[in-house]
Amino acid sequence: MKRPCRNASQTSIIKMRELPAYRTGRHPIPLKTFNFNWMKFRINILLIILLIFSFSLNTFSSVGTSQNKDEPWKFEDIFSLPVSPVEDQHRSGTCWAFAGLSFLQSEMMRMGKSDINLSEMFIVWHTYAEKARKYVRVHGHLNFSPGGAFHDVTNVINEYGIVPESVYTGLKYGEEKHVHGEMDRVLEEYVKGVVENKNRKLSSAWHDAYTQILNTYLGEIPQNFEYDGKKYTPLSFAENLKLNMSDYVEITSYTHHPFYSKFIIEIPDNWSWDEVYNVPLNELEEIIDYSLENGYTVAWAADVSEKGFASGSKGIAVVPAAPQIDMSDAEISRWEGLSERERENELYKLDKPVPELEITQEMRQIAYDNFQTTDDHGMHIIGKAKDARGQTFYKIKNSWGDYNLYKGYFYASKPYVSYKTMSIMLHKDAIPPAIRKKLNL
């Protein structure tokens, strides 16, 4: 290996250091000559250090800017409304019960009441029991699955009451968290067997036997219990919460029914055939914003099968559009040269802010009619936030436990909510007065 070149001053200094007199100090080099060379050396070194530091500083500044650009999915909450802690539905299809009760618990907090953790499985037990009756009554021509809707929660509370989670956990089958695969299959096969029976007449025992399956897995429903030193029944406990279930309404936006009317929303999990109100898309958006800005949270039923839903650790739900804004000719040419799959991969990298689709009423309807929008998941809208660009997002509470960067919450863009909302539930007072008047509420 070659030795690096050295400049003249460095060579002279090194040579001086190699002289015996320099090494021993017996014949010191004149001070003037030594100081001149040594100071020049030090100045050179100092200049080099300053240049390195300046380069490093510029590089760090450049990297910092690049990192901010490459990691844009950072959100600043504008506001978050009071909400109970995130829970975990685990391996069960009961999101509708978790989101529905989270919503009602926020309602209690809005009204100045203490946060009481209510039992999702109490709701599930009664919903499954009623669903079985309906399924058999229509000779099996009904969706029988774990899915449900927010009105199942309010219907059960209105009819049967509610109990705290501490009184009824629904975990009587050897699991620490909800794992419903076996129970769901047993219940489904049971009701199918009842419908297909060869007796040509239903027995009077079939539903009692069915509820015994529910009791075995979830536990028997308490008829009386004590909470905070007082005795209750499920109905008296519900009455003590001071929540009027008739105050809560569901709203959607589709064109196959008249606006400002009610209709039975045609989704498989609406097994009870409950009705929702119908409004134009711009008013659905207005209702959500008005509700949140006036202190009311919103229960949100939506399609989560989109690739842009809660993408990874980014915690986002967006509907990206082809990036044709502010593109150079070269970028446009590159985009047009990609295959359909390559374009999709580009769209859903989501490593930085993306332009999103401008959602129209027609787009919503087409996606619903052709099964691109389906009723997949129930969640809870609890606030608003903005991203690094200043774009507004909704803050969403999920029921999948502490599963992501935001401890079980995520942020959904306005276009996503406008496009993929199946329906919402909220207090009727959370609807803007002019729209409420149109709905005769």
Side-chain angles (χ1 to χ4, degrees):
M1 179 182 288
K2 291 185 177 181
R3 297 177 69 180
C5 296
R6 298 175 295 206
N7 61 35
S9 61
Q10 288 175 315
T11 302
S12 63
I13 292 170
I14 291 170
K15 283 183 177 179
M16 284 188 290
R17 287 179 175 175
E18 290 173 352
L19 292 172
Y22 181 83
R23 291 200 309 269
T24 62
R26 290 193 299 270
H27 303 286
I29 297 170
L31 185 60
K32 183 177 179 181
T33 304
F34 176 80
N35 286 345
F36 173 79
N37 289 333
W38 177 243
M39 290 300 294
K40 189 173 181 180
F41 174 74
R42 289 168 63 183
I43 289 169
N44 286 339
I45 293 297
L46 182 60
L47 287 172
I48 291 170
I49 291 171
L50 287 172
L51 285 170
I52 292 172
F53 178 77
S54 176
F55 176 79
S56 300
L57 187 62
N58 289 336
T59 303
F60 176 80
S61 176
S62 174
V63 169
T65 303
S66 175
Q67 285 176 337
N68 289 336
K69 185 177 180 182
D70 292 341
E71 298 177 338
W73 298 115
K74 295 179 181 179
F75 297 92
E76 179 184 344
D77 287 354
I78 299 171
F79 63 85
S80 292
L81 298 174
V83 66
S84 56
V86 170
E87 296 196 64
D88 190 359
Q89 70 183 78
H90 203 48
R91 288 155 53 193
S92 74
T94 57
C95 57
W96 48 275
F98 280 86
L101 285 184
S102 177
F103 164 70
L104 292 178
Q105 288 166 200
S106 283
E107 280 292 281
M108 287 190 289
M109 286 183 269
R110 178 184 63 80
M111 297 164 64
K113 301 178 183 299
S114 59
D115 177 23
I116 300 174
N117 188 13
L118 301 175
S119 170
E120 291 85 11
M121 293 305 117
F122 180 93
I123 300 292
V124 169
W125 193 104
H126 283 289
T127 299
Y128 283 13
E130 291 301 319
K131 188 183 298 185
R133 283 197 173 108
K134 187 73 161 280
Y135 181 88
V136 172
R137 191 175 297 280
V138 297
H139 298 250
H141 297 292
L142 184 77
N143 183 50
F144 189 90
S145 73
F150 298 135
H151 53 248
D152 293 331
V153 176
T154 54
N155 288 345
V156 167
I157 293 175
N158 198 51
E159 184 72 20
Y160 298 104
I162 189 64
V163 303
E165 175 78 12
S166 59
V167 170
Y168 190 77
T169 64
L171 292 167
K172 297 294 184 181
Y173 49 98
E175 297 286 351
E176 294 182 358
K177 293 184 178 181
H178 305 293
V179 182
H180 286 184
E182 180 181 298
M183 179 186 74
D184 291 340
R185 181 62 183 273
V186 169
L187 293 173
E188 182 182 13
E189 293 302 319
Y190 181 89
V191 292
K192 285 181 177 178
V194 170
V195 171
E196 295 170 3
N197 81 80
K198 305 298 182 181
N199 296 340
R200 302 179 64 182
K201 177 184 176 183
L202 292 181
S203 72
S204 60
W206 79 265
H207 197 262
D208 289 340
Y210 175 88
T211 57
Q212 285 305 311
I213 299 174
L214 290 173
N215 288 342
T216 301
Y217 281 97
L218 303 181
E220 293 188 24
I221 293 294
Q223 302 304 310
N224 299 277
F225 61 93
E226 188 172 310
Y227 183 76
D228 276 355
K230 296 182 180 180
K231 293 183 179 180
Y232 296 97
T233 66
L235 281 170
S236 68
F237 189 76
E239 184 178 351
N240 187 61
L241 299 179
K242 305 297 183 184
L243 293 175
N244 183 356
M245 295 301 112
S246 63
D247 284 340
Y248 300 101
V249 296
E250 291 170 289
I251 300 176
T252 193
S253 177
Y254 290 114
T255 58
H256 65 292
H257 290 282
F259 290 138
Y260 312 116
S261 67
K262 293 177 71 175
F263 71 96
I264 297 172
I265 189 167
E266 303 96 334
I267 54 176
D269 286 338
N270 186 20
W271 62 270
S272 62
W273 304 335
D274 276 43
E275 292 183 317
V276 301
Y277 287 93
N278 197 30
V279 299
L281 176 57
N282 66 303
E283 293 189 358
L284 178 64
E285 296 168 349
E286 184 182 349
I287 289 168
I288 294 173
D289 288 336
Y290 181 90
S291 176
L292 294 171
E293 289 161 9
N294 284 275
Y296 295 82
T297 65
V298 178
W300 183 44
D303 178 2
V304 300
S305 62
E306 300 296 308
K307 286 188 176 182
F309 173 77
S311 296
S313 62
K314 298 180 183 69
I316 55 171
V318 293
V319 279
Q324 295 179 352
I325 300 173
D326 298 330
M327 290 176 71
S328 67
D329 291 342
E331 289 172 326
I332 292 172
S333 178
R334 174 184 172 277
W335 176 259
E336 291 177 346
L338 297 176
S339 68
E340 186 175 343
R341 175 169 290 187
E342 287 170 335
R343 288 186 184 184
E344 187 173 277
N345 289 338
E346 282 281 316
L347 280 178
Y348 291 102
K349 282 195 303 186
L350 300 177
D351 54 354
K352 58 184 177 180
V354 292
E356 293 193 62
L357 292 175
E358 185 176 340
I359 308 304
T360 66
Q361 187 81 62
E362 183 183 18
M363 288 170 62
R364 266 186 62 84
Q365 190 66 40
I366 291 172
Y368 170 80
D369 288 338
N370 68 13
F371 296 176
Q372 284 182 303
T373 295
T374 51
D375 183 37
D376 298 334
H377 193 36
M379 296 153 285
H380 188 190
I381 306 178
I382 61 101
K384 282 186 172 183
K386 59 182 178 180
D387 70 358
R389 303 165 298 173
Q391 298 293 315
T392 300
F393 280 68
Y394 295 107
K395 187 173 183 179
I396 313 292
K397 178 187 175 186
N398 209 343
S399 56
W400 294 346
D402 182 2
Y403 74 100
N404 67 358
L405 183 66
Y406 300 107
K407 309 297 183 183
Y409 294 85
F410 68 91
Y411 295 91
S413 70
K414 280 201 157 195
Y416 192 98
V417 171
S418 296
Y419 191 29
K420 291 298 172 177
T421 295
M422 182 62 68
S423 63
I424 59 172
M425 174 179 275
L426 74 172
H427 195 288
K428 61 186 180 182
D429 289 347
I431 302 170
I435 301 175
R436 186 174 170 182
K437 184 177 181 181
K438 295 176 186 177
L439 296 173
N440 294 315
L441 283 171

